[in-house]
């Protein structure tokens, strides 16, 4: 008798679960029936997702001139300010991590003997080495946020200390 009761209860529970599943699927079908899920539409949406820009760069500065850039998501222009020039002493502080103490044979600020063999190769070569990196020194000393002009200015600053 208890086996028959168990089977009856199992049939009821199974029927309720199947009925609920069918009802949920029918409701979901009604809710999404207006959407276009054709193969071509899905492919086009995937392509658009892959080529959409990840973000936008917005630089700011009090005295910088602003230029209009069209936002990739919108057609209206967005004002972006050009970067202002950093003081050379501020740029040098990033370089001083190595060039202040001579880490990994980096020529120190004011060390004429350390700079002479490098200066013998020419200032343009010094600029190129500082911008592109040389030996253990990474490009731009690891500060890729500095412009090439910033790096040239800080090289001149360090050379002025030995001239």
């Amino acid at each position: 008798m208890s086996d028959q009761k168990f089977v009856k209860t199992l049939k009821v529970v199974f029927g309720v679960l199947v009925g609920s599943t069918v009802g949920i699927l029918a409701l979901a079908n009604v809710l999404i029936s207006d959407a276009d899920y054709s193969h071509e539409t899905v492919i086009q949406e995937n392509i658009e997702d892959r080529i959409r820009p990840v973000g936008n760069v917005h630089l700011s500065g009090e005295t910088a001139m602003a230029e209009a850039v069209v936002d990739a998501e919108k057609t209206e222009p967005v004002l972006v300010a050009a970067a202002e020039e950093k003081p050379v002493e501020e740029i040098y502080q990033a370089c001083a991590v190595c060039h202040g103490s001579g880490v990994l044979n980096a020529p120190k600020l004011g060390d004429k003997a350390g700079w002479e063999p490098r200066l013998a190769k020419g200032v343009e070569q010094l600029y190129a080495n500082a911008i592109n990196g040389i030996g253990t020194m990474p490009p731009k000393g690891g500060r890729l946020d500095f412009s090439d002009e910033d790096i040239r200015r800080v090289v001149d600053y360090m050379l002025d200390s030995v001239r």
Side-chain angles (χ1 to χ4, degrees), residues 9-154:
T9 305
L10 184 63
K11 286 180 182 179
V12 169
V13 168
F14 186 71
V16 168
L17 288 176
V18 169
S20 298
T21 302
V22 169
I24 290 172
L25 290 174
L27 179 63
N29 192 30
V30 168
L31 292 176
I32 64 169
S33 64
D34 292 338
D36 181 13
Y37 288 103
S38 67
H39 185 68
E40 293 80 21
T41 305
V42 172
I43 290 174
Q44 185 62 32
E45 288 174 357
N46 287 340
I47 291 171
E48 289 172 4
D49 282 344
R50 283 189 221 120
I51 63 173
R52 181 175 295 123
V54 176
N56 295 316
V57 176
H58 298 278
L59 303 173
S60 64
E62 293 176 10
T63 60
M65 294 180 57
E67 62 183 66
V69 176
V70 177
D71 189 331
E73 295 293 320
K74 303 172 190 167
T75 58
E76 60 192 58
V78 177
L79 288 180
V80 178
E84 61 185 40
E85 190 174 278
K86 297 173 185 73
V88 70
E89 293 82 8
E90 182 182 319
I91 299 168
Y92 173 73
Q93 291 308 311
C95 303
V97 172
C98 296
H99 288 280
S101 61
V103 171
L104 297 172
N105 202 27
K108 296 181 193 177
L109 184 70
D111 179 17
K112 192 170 186 168
W115 282 102
E116 279 181 349
R118 291 165 175 87
L119 192 53
K121 296 177 184 176
V123 177
E124 289 302 318
Q125 185 62 47
L126 279 174
Y127 292 153
N129 291 344
I131 292 168
N132 301 318
I134 184 169
T136 56
M137 180 180 161
K140 297 182 181 181
R143 290 296 304 268
L144 299 179
D145 57 318
F146 290 155
S147 69
D148 290 358
E149 185 56 34
D150 289 338
I151 299 301
R152 286 184 187 91
R153 288 178 41 237
V154 78

